[in-house]
Amino acid sequence: MAQDGLSVGVKAVIGREEIGALIAALSARGWRVLGPRVRDGAIIYDDVAGLDDLPAGWTDTQEAGRYRIERRTDAALFGYAVGPHSWKRFLHPPVERLWQARREGDKVTIIAEKNDEKFAFLGVRACELAAIMVQDRVFMEGPYPDTAYRKRRENTFLIAVNCGEAGGTCFCVSMKTGPKAQAGFDLALTELIEGERHEFLVEVGSEAGGAVLADLPRRPAAPEDIAAAEAVTARTANAMGRTLETEGLKELLQGNPEHPRWDDVAQRCLACANCTMVCPTCFCTTIADVSALDGTAERVRKWDSCFSLDFSYIHGGSVRKETKSRYRQWMTHKLAHWIDQFGTSGCVGCGRCITWCPVGIDITEEAASIRADSGKCQEGGNGRA
Amino acid sequence: MTAAEDPFIPLPYCVGRVRRETGDTASLELLPLAGPRPSFKAGQFNMLTAFGVGEVAISMSGDPAETEGFVHTVRNVGAVSGALARLETGAALGLRGPFGTAWPTEEAIGADVLIVAGGLGLAPLRPAIYEVLARRERYGRVVLLYGTRSPRDILYRAEMGRWRRRLDVDIEITVDHADPAWHGNVGVVPRLIPRMSFDPQNTFAMVCGPEVMMRFTASALHEAGVSFERIWISMERNMKCAIGLCGHCQFGPDFICKDGPVMRYDRIASLLAVREI
Amino acid sequence: MEGLERIVLAHPFFAGFEAELGQVVSGCARNLRFETGQYLFRAGDEANEIFLIRQGVVSIEIAAPGQKPTVFATEREGEIVGAAWMVPPYRWRFDARATSLTRAIGIDARCLREKCEADDHLGYEMMKRFLPVVARRLDETRLQMLDVYGKQSA
């Protein structure tokens, strides 16, 4: 309730240890707390039980086709950019049963799924927050909302973390999604590390967030704390690894379906679908129906990718047989058609598709090449100098 | 959550009458096992589930004014459609829908109506034919052109015969090839367009068939003076969810499942020419 | 204007044709009538006439040993049969059979070819009328060849 909590917009400072208390407070309120952990040489998202589970003192270095985690010189809890996981795997799971059907005699009963889990996400980056809002539009704002997604989303507590490090492939500044979380969170943290000091500036973004923060030991934020937090995100904004010119990008891509650059990128693209799996906004799925000998059948929904040949299959064959047309579909959808469909770009500038591409294809570079060559594409050859 | 509130959850239906149309095609009447049959518009489709096999998008081919069940004409071209085409009276199946956009039978009131079907494309157009014939007096000239592979592939043969006997509808059927016992037209369906009498300035054309046939037909209609804004076609793409959430049926900025399947030709003409879009 | 000339110029094939040229062409023309089942011509015969159909339906067929003949096109009122008149060696490649009572104008091919040779303008006007028919038939044949209604193989 409002009187028990802190109002939206309130800023306070908590100590590093209080992150553990925050996890405990959320667990006590019935949320399944998910946050960053080091596993298999990457920082991924999974259940976190306390402070010790967080990737203290770890960072990541990223380049096109390259990702490594490394030790930091400090004990930062959120001193990395983003890993291969995104929160999509919880809100829009990779494999999800949609329903089961049971046959008894002539009667078939269809049983819906419950989806009553409550998630608290700890460490949501500004770009990821933007990605969640993009998927909210996809799954909840059309004529047919996705019931399962909506139920999970309505029961999700979001703790944003403003970025203190820009990844080598980051371009959230170009996409106007970060590095500071502006809205859509319950609580937003900025990690403040200076000499012996290791604290967090906390901003309340919702009533629920205010109620949780009210239970934690804290002190009010001083103007210096707020200025220090601003400096952190300002420094990050100036260290972006990539840029993407978005002005006129939609028209550029929609107007160049036959640009020779698509052939060029198809020479490198393996159509492995990594980019779509790591992308926090890619939402495509397929379904599989399975039946058991006991008379039950079920339908499972699984992540799918526009890079697979089967994706566009119609009677007679696949529409997009060539890698060229599949890459064109992905990139044009992400950066252009998405705007027609959902009123926003499908790209949040997280850089995952660049980092996790096994051959280092860079969406910012591909877009820039098409921009550089647009208008010359009718002349034959690959049009490049 | 009841099933009807979640568009992903099929409702139980059972097969009523089955009519074998051609060697590989059957029309199934589907009756709801729970609750009334939802109303639908001519041109819309349902997602039909053969339990344990899969789900496929099939347009309604029955009369929207009949309220008892849905009629779907299914051709055996794959695992799911094959399982559906083999269903017999009494068999259970799942159904989600109706989904998608409709033929412009309302907008066309007062104008001439030209319906051009190719092959199985007659099925999604049949509800529009029923609607137009049910209030025949509200339209100008009504022309139905139907092209198919050979005389034995003609769908709804008896019904076509009845429509042909009406004096207020011009019907021409053409086949790609025939033996000399066939007394009708031989040749492609766009060929019939210049022979028919209609006012190109005041005609609504509704076209359904294989994409290449629709492109040739639209171009013949255009030559005859019908503008692209008055030509509507029904598109086919891979559909998994039918509600714009799975991404499979994208065609440029459109989702064929919710922005289509029935689309105005001027909106998509330029993309139709791009390969593998 | 004589009756035959009027009939020739009234056929859609000659829509907009100059009256003078119409007179020349009519000089090679005659009125024809084919009963149901009667052949206009058969494959291999000399292509010595063009047929402007005024009434009825003509099916264009090809026969292969051991199989029923296949009809691959029908031509009717307002259309023409017999484009081989202008292509050496001037032989019919298919059979043309009237499937109902058919009335046509026949234009003697040798007579017309000679007049076209003698008058480039007439030759060009005739070509402008024949080429679209041939091009359209080629388009239609391509579409038929695609067998769009058949079960596509992947």
Side-chain angles (χ1 to χ4, degrees), chain A residues 164-347:
Chain A
E165 296 283 343
T169 57
C170 286
F171 55 104
C172 64
V173 169
S174 298
M175 302 316 292
K176 301 181 177 63
T177 58
K180 184 177 188 299
Q182 302 293 346
F185 51 81
D186 294 293
L187 292 173
L189 308 175
T190 309
E191 193 162 22
L192 304 171
I193 304 174
E194 223 180 319
E196 292 303 300
R197 178 189 188 190
H198 194 160
E199 291 179 314
F200 287 88
L201 181 85
V202 192
E203 183 184 344
V204 176
S206 73
E207 216 171 88
V212 170
L213 181 61
D215 284 357
L216 303 182
R218 65 188 183 279
R219 64 172 169 84
E224 305 84 70
D225 299 319
I226 294 168
E230 292 293 337
V232 167
T233 48
R235 194 182 62 225
T236 306
N238 285 324
M240 287 286 114
R242 296 285 193 281
T243 57
L244 175 64
E245 175 57 78
T246 57
E247 181 68 35
L249 186 56
K250 172 179 170 315
E251 294 72 20
L252 179 76
L253 296 178
Q254 288 179 336
N256 278 292
E258 307 289 7
H259 196 285
R261 185 72 186 188
W262 302 121
D263 294 305
D264 183 297
V265 70
Q267 296 295 312
R268 293 169 277 137
C269 177
L270 308 176
C272 73
N274 266 16
C275 50
T276 54
M277 298 293 110
V278 296
C279 177
T281 68
C282 271
F283 59 84
C284 291
T285 50
T286 188
I287 57 157
D289 282 16
V290 285
S291 53
L293 292 173
D294 65 357
T296 60
E298 62 179 39
R299 176 162 299 157
V300 174
R301 176 163 75 169
K302 302 173 181 179
W303 285 359
D304 201 358
S305 172
C306 52
F307 280 93
S308 77
L309 184 59
D310 278 354
F311 187 84
S312 60
Y313 182 85
I314 52 176
H315 156 58
S318 292
V319 174
R320 298 182 203 105
K321 290 192 171 61
E322 293 184 35
T323 302
K324 162 193 166 175
S325 39
R326 290 181 244 157
Y327 187 88
R328 177 181 67 190
Q329 169 62 24
W330 176 71
M331 185 166 143
T332 310
H333 180 221
K334 185 71 54 186
L335 298 175
H337 298 328
W338 211 295
I339 298 170
D340 289 323
Q341 294 168 350
F342 305 110
T344 172
S345 172
C347 178

Side-chain angles (χ1 to χ4, degrees), chain B residues 116-198:
Chain B
V116 189
L120 196 59
L122 183 60
L125 280 165
R126 192 167 66 160
I129 300 170
Y130 288 131
E131 281 190 345
V132 169
L133 295 185
R135 38 187 190 173
R136 176 67 192 83
E137 70 287 351
R138 300 173 74 175
Y139 299 92
R141 276 164 291 203
V142 174
V143 177
L144 169 61
L145 306 178
Y146 175 43
T148 190
R149 196 159 183 252
S150 73
R152 67 170 175 278
D153 297 307
I154 294 171
L155 282 179
Y156 316 135
R157 196 180 293 265
E159 199 162 32
M160 291 289 272
R162 283 197 297 278
W163 291 337
R164 286 185 92 147
R165 284 192 290 277
R166 291 179 65 135
L167 298 175
D168 56 358
V169 187
D170 291 330
I171 299 189
E172 289 288 341
I173 301 176
T174 186
V175 297
D176 274 350
H177 47 80
D179 68 41
W182 168 248
H183 289 285
N185 299 296
V186 179
V188 298
V189 71
R191 174 88 195 272
L192 301 174
I193 290 166
R195 295 179 187 165
M196 309 310 294
S197 141
F198 56 92

Side-chain angles (χ1 to χ4, degrees), chain B residues 37-51:
Chain B
R37 190 214 76 183
S39 67
F40 76 95
K41 295 188 192 123
Q44 289 191 299
F45 66 94
N46 282 323
M47 298 297 290
L48 305 184
T49 292
F51 286 115

